[in-house]
Amino acid sequence: MNSVLILSAENLKTDPRIRRQINALKNNYELTVFGTHSPEIEGINFLKINREYPLRGKKLIHQLRLFFRMYKNYYWNDRYKKNIISLLENKKYDVVIANDIDMLPIAVVLKEKGIAKKIFFDAHEYAPLEFEDVLKWKLFHKPYKTYLCKKNIPYIDLGTTVCEGIAEEYYRVFNKKFHVITNACDYVEAIPKKIEDKVKMVFHGAATPSRKLENIIETTKILGDNFKLDMYLVGDKDYIGKLENIIISNQILNINICKPVEFSKINNMLKNYDIGIYILEPNSFNNKMALPNKLFEFIQARLAVAIGPSPEMARYVNMYDCGVVANSFLPIDMANILKKLTKDELYRLKLNTQRFAEEQSAESNAKKMINLIEACIKG
């Protein structure tokens, strides 16, 4: 049986994309996985990463390395990266999967040392523009991430990413073909819920200022009493508090901010709604090209989808005729298109999610990933 090593510096208990990698491969390969927290999935060898951050004085020196573009020293100053390599000195793997650009230099070293034969790079974002809407990040981290890409991408044997737009950008800038494995979640057998008196909308996910969730709140305010919105938010507590204040101060009675649910209970929560809504302004390249987990979670719960004109999301919504795409990211445009929907039309869109759910699932992506791993081994 071939051996595969998955490199990640994330919490594998909560990272859905890497959990899907593990579940796709665990029955076909001897699988070793690095992460900060165990995924608690049987049939794998888990190795824990202890991410250590510099003390205050050393942190300043660490940041100066970034400021003066001493990128090699800046990267390897994180002790846990060297620890990963030392833990694997006497191991052999057919393929190492590097999740995101921060793991790729480690994979390159493992290949140079003969520990790993092939490198499979899974880019969850377009790394050089990940937080380009933040000025400090753009000034200091963008050139650093670009350096990591230029230096390490030439060594990969196979690359994947989350959508066509990001794959095209990696090819345009770094002349490397990337395959697409979406963030599709597990297939769920379900029947769409009938529409009741009020149309029930839902948004769930991270609350960060760059997502401008105020637009969804304003849309719901314009829609009025015939629509209801529940928001299940995690993340920036200050920003969540700001959103709550907007709702209260504007006396918007058809919006509730709800307590978030566990990852495993998302589908049971979502299936009680009619529309999954997401208006994500293209204020960065990765936001423009977003094809997020939540789109696929909406579909597996058999919800119609309401989005702005985000090209990657719109590609799927239009392909399967399972929702509406507003003409702009303005709340008024989203409200106008939703107001025009009759209940029969809305239910038709919900029914159309069935083919989407079958064809775009974690199970179909697992088959694709195994085929790519096999191609990587044999190539």
Side-chain angles (χ1 to χ4, degrees), residues 147-166:
Y147 160 83
L148 291 181
C149 288
K150 284 182 178 179
K151 183 173 174 57
N152 295 284
I153 285 178
Y155 292 96
I156 73 175
D157 297 284
L158 193 145
T160 54
T161 189
V162 298
C163 69
E164 294 290 346
I166 291 177

Side-chain angles (χ1 to χ4, degrees), residues 207-223:
T208 59
S210 66
R211 292 186 171 186
K212 295 190 177 181
L213 299 182
E214 296 92 336
N215 288 335
I216 298 176
I217 291 172
E218 180 64 21
T219 296
T220 310
K221 179 184 176 183
I222 296 169
L223 285 169

Side-chain angles (χ1 to χ4, degrees), residues 207-209 235-245:
T208 59
D236 189 329
K237 292 183 179 179
D238 290 337
Y239 182 55
I240 294 172
K242 177 183 175 183
L243 297 176
E244 289 174 331
N245 287 335

Side-chain angles (χ1 to χ4, degrees), residues 8-63:
S8 169
E10 302 301 325
N11 181 346
L12 303 185
K13 198 171 183 179
T14 58
D15 189 299
R17 186 170 178 86
I18 303 174
R19 290 181 68 84
R20 287 191 287 267
Q21 285 180 12
I22 295 168
N23 285 321
L25 303 177
K26 66 187 176 100
N27 295 325
N28 295 278
Y29 304 95
E30 292 180 4
L31 195 60
T32 300
V33 183
F34 272 95
T36 61
H37 297 75
S38 171
E40 298 179 3
I41 297 172
E42 293 184 1
I44 68 168
N45 177 31
F46 171 70
L47 297 173
K48 182 178 174 61
I49 287 176
N50 292 309
R51 297 187 70 171
E52 298 174 354
Y53 296 94
L55 298 174
R56 183 173 296 177
K58 292 185 177 180
K59 186 176 181 181
L60 175 60
I61 296 171
H62 186 59
Q63 294 303 317

Side-chain angles (χ1 to χ4, degrees), residues 178-232:
F178 278 65
H179 301 267
V180 172
I181 294 181
T182 66
N183 283 320
C185 50
D186 292 344
Y187 175 76
V188 178
E189 191 68 50
I191 298 172
K193 171 183 162 291
K194 291 284 188 181
I195 316 297
E196 298 174 355
D197 290 339
K198 291 188 177 183
V199 176
K200 297 177 69 178
M201 302 193 303
V202 64
F203 172 87
H204 72 293
T208 59
S210 66
R211 292 186 171 186
K212 295 190 177 181
L213 299 182
E214 296 92 336
N215 288 335
I216 298 176
I217 291 172
E218 180 64 21
T219 296
T220 310
K221 179 184 176 183
I222 296 169
L223 285 169
D225 291 340
N226 290 329
F227 288 77
K228 178 186 174 185
L229 171 68
D230 287 343
M231 304 182 81
Y232 297 81

Side-chain angles (χ1 to χ4, degrees), residues 133-318:
D133 55 314
V134 179
L135 180 60
K136 181 180 176 182
W137 193 95
K138 190 173 182 177
L139 289 174
F140 299 110
H141 290 272
K142 178 183 175 181
Y144 167 62
K145 297 288 186 177
T146 302
Y147 160 83
L148 291 181
C149 288
K150 284 182 178 179
K151 183 173 174 57
N152 295 284
I153 285 178
Y155 292 96
I156 73 175
D157 297 284
L158 193 145
T160 54
T161 189
V162 298
C163 69
E164 294 290 346
I166 291 177
E168 290 167 2
E169 190 69 4
Y170 272 115
Y171 183 78
R172 186 186 72 81
V173 178
F174 301 104
N175 197 32
K176 201 79 172 182
K177 180 181 178 181
F178 278 65
H179 301 267
V180 172
I181 294 181
T182 66
N183 283 320
C185 50
D186 292 344
Y187 175 76
V188 178
E189 191 68 50
I191 298 172
K193 171 183 162 291
K194 291 284 188 181
I195 316 297
E196 298 174 355
D197 290 339
K198 291 188 177 183
V199 176
K200 297 177 69 178
M201 302 193 303
V202 64
F203 172 87
H204 72 293
T208 59
S210 66
R211 292 186 171 186
K212 295 190 177 181
L213 299 182
E214 296 92 336
N215 288 335
I216 298 176
I217 291 172
E218 180 64 21
T219 296
T220 310
K221 179 184 176 183
I222 296 169
L223 285 169
D225 291 340
N226 290 329
F227 288 77
K228 178 186 174 185
L229 171 68
D230 287 343
M231 304 182 81
Y232 297 81
L233 304 177
V234 296
D236 189 329
K237 292 183 179 179
D238 290 337
Y239 182 55
I240 294 172
K242 177 183 175 183
L243 297 176
E244 289 174 331
N245 287 335
I246 290 172
I247 293 167
I248 293 168
S249 62
N250 287 276
Q251 298 183 335
I252 308 173
L253 302 179
N254 57 340
I255 301 178
N256 292 311
I257 292 185
C258 307
K259 184 179 179 180
V261 300
E262 295 176 17
F263 180 76
S264 61
K265 296 178 181 178
I266 286 175
N267 185 267
N268 283 335
M269 174 272 288
L270 289 176
K271 67 184 182 181
N272 296 308
Y273 296 90
D274 303 306
I275 296 173
I277 186 169
Y278 195 22
I279 307 171
L280 182 62
E281 288 192 17
N283 49 18
S284 68
F285 178 81
N286 283 300
N287 277 353
K288 179 180 178 181
M289 294 299 168
L291 188 61
N293 291 303
K294 64 175 57 61
L295 175 70
F296 299 97
E297 289 161 354
F298 290 156
I299 294 301
Q300 292 299 340
R302 305 305 188 270
L303 309 188
V305 177
I307 59 168
S310 300
E312 292 296 327
M313 287 190 272
R315 184 199 306 266
Y316 287 87
V317 173
N318 290 331

